Amino acid sequence: MDFKRYIENNQERFISELFELLRIPSISANSNHDKDTRAAAELLISHFQNLGLDECEICETKGHPIVYGEKIINKNLPTVLVYGHYDVQPVDPIELWDQDPFKPYIKKTLIHPEGAIFSRGACDDKGQMFMHLKALETVMTQDQMPCNVKFMIEGEEEVGSDNLEIFVKENKSKLSNDIVLVSDTGMIDKNTPSITTGLRGLSYMEIELTGPNRDLHSGHYGGTVANPINMISKIISSLHNSKNQITIPGFYDDVVEISESERSESRKIPFDLKDFKKSIKINSVHGEDGFSTSERQSIRPALDVNGIWGGYSGEGAKTVLPSKAYAKISMRLVPNQNWKKISSLFSDHINNICPKGVTIKIKEHHGGQPYIAPTNTVGFRAASKAYEEVFNKLPFATKDGGSIPIIALFEKELNSKTILMGFGLDSDAIHSPNEHYGISNFLMGIETISRFYYHFTDLSTNPQIH
Ligand code: BES
Ligand code: MN
Ligand code: MN
């Protein structure tokens, strides 16, 4: 079984098939694209059928459908559940894209001299999810599957996976597995593989402040009325203290403190502060006292305003004292923090500090629990071996700052751990204009996944010899 050769011989077709998927603007957040989102699900199901998967089904939900297929070759062999998402983030600001986000093209970059695929979803997550289809093809045409696989690809990850949560709870036995395998995270750099063993949780809130019943003349009324934008700014700036700690009472109560030995272990993971600053053109980092940038990004929680609006922001000057002000605020959570508890601590606190003269409405958007995985498992060891064979290096175990809400739910409902085999790079600009994905990351990912199936089966069925 020469996977590498098969992948090389077929890479042009793999890429052109991925392009077909990338051309579909499956933006889950925007209902104008509901048809496109469905079209992406239909294209995937045709791939599942061509691969010879059984039980192929477009599973309807209250929102976008879930695509399912499986290959059970022997009930006594281990089963891998592959999860990914075919939905993508909105594209705005569209004017900052060099080309149409849904007309994929290949361009060489400094980091990807062999070329990268530019398109919304190239890395997050169509490109990474598609590696799993091509790995399955590679294994099935070169050899035979060493284990059982189940594929479950959803269309609502970027909007919180609420309907997938229902689906998982209702289909526990259908989805039963020995390990979940996901490629929807990143690696350290092109030559330094890593397995993500931690994801932050998320609580996403929106606040609306109302002052006077209409926009007012800011001269006639200015200085006499609580201005909702002034007030929302005050509220927001009070949410961090001078040490950049979050001031919501009880916010840190459940945070697991990381031991000194674990902290020093994680210092071995390559991280260059200069490169970090350079890559996003900032002259200084910012964050909670007493923690390094990579710690602030992984093992510590964070609170950020994602958007703030109200009043007049058009051309020129309009002298107005606005009636309303709004802000969207997200909190990234770490192990043991519970997103529902944090959301209600947030609401209680904001209600408590709401200044006189304005009223407040708080809306809870989606959320998700943080996730943490041990490294002394069969799954982790199998993945390490697969990476070592492809990259000639053992992968680091890293904790990532991003969130994939459903991963913690897999643990709770299906009792399974997840291996997060991500091949994206920080520079791939996911969620941003000109998102891209390196062709070599794509091809090496396919090979690593193919090899994982063998090691996982081997280590699961013969634990004593390893
Ligand atoms: N694939 C990302 C999550 C991710 C990216 C994790 C990079 C680690 C490294 C996922 O699609 C995503 O964007 N998640 C959202 C949460 C979701 C509920 C909108 C996030 O983290 O903001
Ligand atoms: Mn993703
Ligand atoms: Mn995403």
Side-chain angles (χ1 to χ4, degrees), residues 253-256 333-339 341 369-372:
D253 282 2
D254 300 325
V255 170
V256 177
L333 312 175
V334 297
N336 232 16
Q337 284 184 297
N338 177 304
W339 78 269
K341 181 175 167 191
Q369 305 296 36
Y371 176 73
I372 193 95

Side-chain angles (χ1 to χ4, degrees), residues 355-421:
K356 280 199 187 119
V358 288
T359 55
I360 199 153
K361 247 204 242 159
I362 301 175
K363 187 172 155 192
E364 199 177 281
H365 285 264
H366 51 242
Q369 305 296 36
Y371 176 73
I372 193 95
T375 55
N376 59 350
T377 61
V378 166
F380 189 89
R381 271 185 285 144
S384 293
K385 283 190 156 197
Y387 275 107
E388 194 180 12
E389 287 167 358
V390 177
F391 290 85
N392 296 315
K393 263 184 209 170
L394 277 172
F396 285 94
T398 56
K399 294 195 175 71
D400 221 304
S403 310
I404 309 176
I406 207 68
I407 304 295
L409 198 92
F410 289 150
E411 177 158 37
K412 185 163 163 255
E413 299 297 332
L414 305 177
N415 205 11
S416 25
K417 284 287 179 188
T418 297
I419 297 294
L420 293 154
M421 255 192 187

Side-chain angles (χ1 to χ4, degrees), residues 85 124 157-158 184-185 202 332 366 400 402-403 405 430-431:
H85 62 97
D124 184 13
E157 195 278 341
E158 300 291 7
D184 192 22
T185 50
L202 178 68
R332 296 288 169 167
H366 51 242
D400 221 304
S403 310
I430 63 171
H431 293 206

